[in-house]
């Protein structure tokens, strides 16, 4: 009997999780929707039924669920271990558990749960779309160095980020960001650390190494918020172990089912955020050689941050879990 719980069901990602469960026909016998006290009592229509959103309490964790949690690190820190102690599998979308040693950090195109614990972490949205094309390159050529520059949509900040962009066009002051995002670019996502990197940048560095199981891989990142509603874009500068060419990289990615190659710059064909939005896939293009470093190449990657970068990846992990349990 499959019992599902969605925590944070009324938020941007929670809503996308429900849409994805429906679209992918994930089977379940019972569904419970949880939220904070503020959103409890809301009605949600789903698959022909009306669900009343419940407040997440300690008592609510005593039932046995497969839990998709998208409610922030503090909520996850408090409630995920309680669900886990009652036999649940928790797929958590916050950053709370990602670098915990015995918690799996999963991108289904790249790795699979080992069930060291009942908590499974969903990676950072930009990390997810980046490691998907890096994995086939790692398998074919090996990786020596990765440098990221991200161009992240405001929906990555939830409803407040989207509101800042909309309100900025009206001349209103920002609430989610320290500066206006409308008609602007912010080289600042999450808090600054002592070394000058932001927490978002450090997440990408640490998570890439963990997901690809290369703890010594040279990785660096600059994460930037741009005035785009949905879909993140990432520039990847990658140095490979084995000599290769642009054509060979294109061939590897074109044949790989994990990505879609969109790379015909002569005809202005390359991945765009507006084409990624609402799509499940990760798109890769603008592949070219970096002549300033040996065996180094540029890639441009776009993906819907609310789908593959969050809700879809979580539901794909749920599919892995259900298959391993023999329930799918």
């Amino acid at each position: 009997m499959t019992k599902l719980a969605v925590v944070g069901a009324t938020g941007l990602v929670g809503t996308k999780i429900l849409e994805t469960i429906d679209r992918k026909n994930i089977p379940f016998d019972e569904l419970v929707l949880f939220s904070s006290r503020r959103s409890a009592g809301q009605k949600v229509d789903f698959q022909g039924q009306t669900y009343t959103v419940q407040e997440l309490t300690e008592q609510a964790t005593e039932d046995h669920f497969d839990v998709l949690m998208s409610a922030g690190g503090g909520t996850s820190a408090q409630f995920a271990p309680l669900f886990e102690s009652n036999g649940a599998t928790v797929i958590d979308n916050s950053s709370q558990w990602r670098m915990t040693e015995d918690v799996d950090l999963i991108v289904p195109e790249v790795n699979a749960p080992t069930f060291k614990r009942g908590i499974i972490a969903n990676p950072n949205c930009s990390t997810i779309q980046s490691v998907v094309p890096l994995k086939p390159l790692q398998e074919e050529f090996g990786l020596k160095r990765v440098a990221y520059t991200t161009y992240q949509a405001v929906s990555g900040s939830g409803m407040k980020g989207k509101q800042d962009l909309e309100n900025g066009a009206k001349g209103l002051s920002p609430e989610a960001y320290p500066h206006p995002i409308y008609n602007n670019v912010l080289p600042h996502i999450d808090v600054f650390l002592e070394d000058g990197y932001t927490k978002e940048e450090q997440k990408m560095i640490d998570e890439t190494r963990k997901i690809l199981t290369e703890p010594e891989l040279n990785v660096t990142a600059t994460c930037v918020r741009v005035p785009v509603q949905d879909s993140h874009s990432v520039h990847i500068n990658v140095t490979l172990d084995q000599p290769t060419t642009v054509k060979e990289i294109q061939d590897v990615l074109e044949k790989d089912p994990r990505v879609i190659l969109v790379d015909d710059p002569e005809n202005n064909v390359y991945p765009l955020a507006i084409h990624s939005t609402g799509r499940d896939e990760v798109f890769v293009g603008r592949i070219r050689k970096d002549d300033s470093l040996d065996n180094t190449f540029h890639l441009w990657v776009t993906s819907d941050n609310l789908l593959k970068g969050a809700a879809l990846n979580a539901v794909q992990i749920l599919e892995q879990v259900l298959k391993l349990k023999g329930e799918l």
Side-chain angles (χ1 to χ4, degrees):
M1 182 174 180
T2 302
K3 298 173 69 174
L4 295 182
V6 177
V7 177
T10 59
L12 274 181
V13 175
T15 300
K16 288 290 184 183
I17 285 173
L18 289 172
E19 291 174 2
T20 306
I21 288 172
D22 183 41
R23 183 164 54 87
K24 293 181 73 65
N25 295 314
I26 303 299
F28 61 87
D29 300 290
E30 183 179 341
L31 175 66
V32 181
L33 307 183
F34 291 110
S35 72
S36 65
R37 180 179 300 175
R38 184 180 66 250
S39 299
Q42 289 188 25
K43 304 294 184 181
V44 174
D45 293 327
F46 182 71
Q47 293 187 344
Q49 295 190 46
T50 299
Y51 293 85
T52 300
V53 180
Q54 302 179 25
E55 180 184 353
L56 181 60
T57 63
E58 291 189 7
Q59 184 177 0
T61 68
E62 294 175 2
D63 208 344
H64 185 94
F65 296 105
D66 287 315
V67 183
L68 295 111
M69 181 172 285
S70 185
T75 300
S76 180
Q78 179 181 356
F79 289 100
L82 297 176
F83 277 116
E84 180 188 26
S85 67
N86 286 300
T89 299
V90 181
I91 301 166
D92 182 55
N93 199 58
S94 78
S95 61
Q96 176 65 35
W97 304 99
R98 292 173 186 164
M99 296 313 299
T100 302
E101 187 174 351
D102 59 353
V103 170
D104 292 320
L105 185 64
I106 299 297
V107 179
E109 292 90 341
V110 177
N111 57 354
T114 62
F115 296 105
K116 296 175 186 175
R117 287 187 59 174
I119 300 173
I120 300 171
N122 209 33
N124 177 278
C125 45
S126 294
T127 304
I128 290 172
Q129 73 182 72
S130 300
V131 297
V132 171
L134 284 176
K135 184 60 177 179
L137 299 185
Q138 180 193 40
E139 293 170 345
E140 190 72 23
F141 309 110
L143 303 177
K144 187 175 289 184
R145 169 189 165 273
V146 176
Y148 297 124
T149 305
T150 73
Y151 303 77
Q152 296 180 223
V154 294
S155 57
S157 302
M159 286 303 301
K160 287 185 177 180
K162 299 185 78 162
Q163 288 167 358
D164 265 15
L165 181 57
E166 293 171 6
N167 290 339
K170 303 171 186 175
L172 300 178
S173 299
E175 295 184 11
Y177 304 122
H179 304 284
I181 187 62
Y182 176 73
N183 202 30
N184 201 14
V185 170
L186 304 181
H188 174 191
I189 299 178
D190 213 320
V191 298
F192 283 99
L193 306 175
E194 290 184 2
D195 61 1
Y197 281 75
T198 64
K199 191 175 180 181
E200 182 85 354
E201 291 158 353
Q202 194 61 51
K203 288 176 194 173
M204 289 197 72
I205 293 167
D206 294 338
E207 293 174 21
T208 297
R209 290 170 174 159
K210 182 173 180 177
I211 296 165
L212 296 176
T213 61
E214 291 206 32
E216 303 302 319
L217 182 64
N218 290 316
V219 187
T220 190
T222 299
C223 293
V224 180
R225 187 74 67 190
V226 295
V228 170
Q229 284 279 358
D230 297 299
S231 283
H232 292 347
S233 302
V234 181
H235 166 246
I236 303 176
N237 185 257
V238 58
T239 302
L240 303 173
D241 277 333
Q242 303 299 320
T244 189
T245 65
V246 169
K247 181 64 166 61
E248 289 174 336
I249 291 173
Q250 289 172 328
D251 288 345
V252 166
L253 295 177
E254 189 168 30
K255 294 173 185 174
D256 198 287
R258 292 172 282 197
V259 298
I260 293 182
L261 183 67
V262 183
D263 200 12
D264 184 12
E266 290 185 4
N267 291 300
N268 298 326
V269 175
Y270 32 73
L272 296 172
I274 58 173
H275 295 157
S276 301
T277 300
R279 297 283 299 271
D280 289 348
E281 302 89 348
V282 174
F283 299 86
V284 187
R286 288 234 48 211
I287 300 170
R288 61 201 189 279
K289 191 174 186 310
D290 182 342
D291 291 326
S292 71
L293 292 169
D294 290 340
N295 205 36
T296 300
F297 300 86
H298 298 281
L299 293 81
W300 181 256
V301 182
T302 67
S303 184
D304 189 316
N305 56 296
L306 296 180
L307 285 175
K308 184 53 191 165
L312 173 64
N313 200 76
V315 173
Q316 287 176 313
I317 295 171
L318 175 63
E319 288 181 303
Q320 285 183 313
V321 169
L322 294 178
K323 286 176 182 176
L324 290 167
K325 288 181 177 181
E327 297 178 17
L328 187 63

